[in-house]
Amino acid sequence: QVQLAEYGGGLVQAGGSLRLSCSASGRTFSGYVMLWFRQAARKEREFVALITWNGRTTSYGDSVKGRFTISRDISKNTVYLQMSSLKPEDTAVYYCAARRIGEGEVDYWGQGTQVTVSS
């Protein structure tokens, strides 16, 4: 059974940092793109960042460029999202997801982890 499990959410002050982890299990993710999305209350889900499993390609949403960094550790089957210079508008539930390269639909979702940034 494929599982994506997010860890590391919490409460942080504006300007602070937080690192989210996404532990992937149940299959090999070679050939997959790993993504982070977020959804704030009463807002649409927003793309945050992606990385190919081989690590060669990364991409970021405009609102987080220069502040967030996505990475992965193949030996641990884990994807990370390092978040710095956090702002109150970064407050949201953050979701890890996976889809096959070249496909548009997400195949797997995590359960989400809450990040709250206080001003």
Side-chain angles (χ1 to χ4, degrees):
Q1 181 180 358
V2 175
Q3 285 191 325
L4 301 177
E6 300 97 335
Y7 302 95
L11 175 65
V12 63
Q13 287 190 331
S17 299
L18 208 58
R19 188 177 80 159
L20 304 182
S21 302
C22 171
S23 177
S25 62
R27 66 160 299 136
T28 176
F29 286 90
S30 171
Y32 273 73
V33 179
M34 307 302 293
L35 308 101
W36 286 97
F37 291 89
R38 67 186 184 186
Q39 188 164 19
R42 298 177 297 280
K43 291 191 176 181
E44 297 284 321
R45 184 175 292 165
E46 176 187 14
F47 165 73
V48 175
L50 69 80
I51 187 168
T52 51
W53 192 251
N54 60 17
R56 291 175 185 166
T57 300
T58 59
S59 181
Y60 297 89
D62 288 341
S63 61
V64 306
K65 278 179 184 175
R67 300 188 299 121
F68 290 12
T69 302
I70 191 170
S71 62
R72 93 279 181 261
D73 185 334
I74 289 179
S75 67
K76 296 181 179 179
N77 257 27
T78 299
V79 178
Y80 302 99
L81 185 69
Q82 178 66 47
M83 305 185 294
S84 301
S85 301
L86 283 162
K87 306 174 182 179
E89 50 264 45
D90 293 318
T91 295
V93 177
Y94 284 71
Y95 297 92
C96 178
R99 63 167 173 81
R100 284 163 287 182
I101 290 176
E103 300 289 332
E105 294 293 322
V106 167
D107 295 296
Y108 307 107
W109 289 95
Q111 82 286 353
T113 186
Q114 176 71 46
V115 171
T116 302
V117 184
S118 63
S119 56

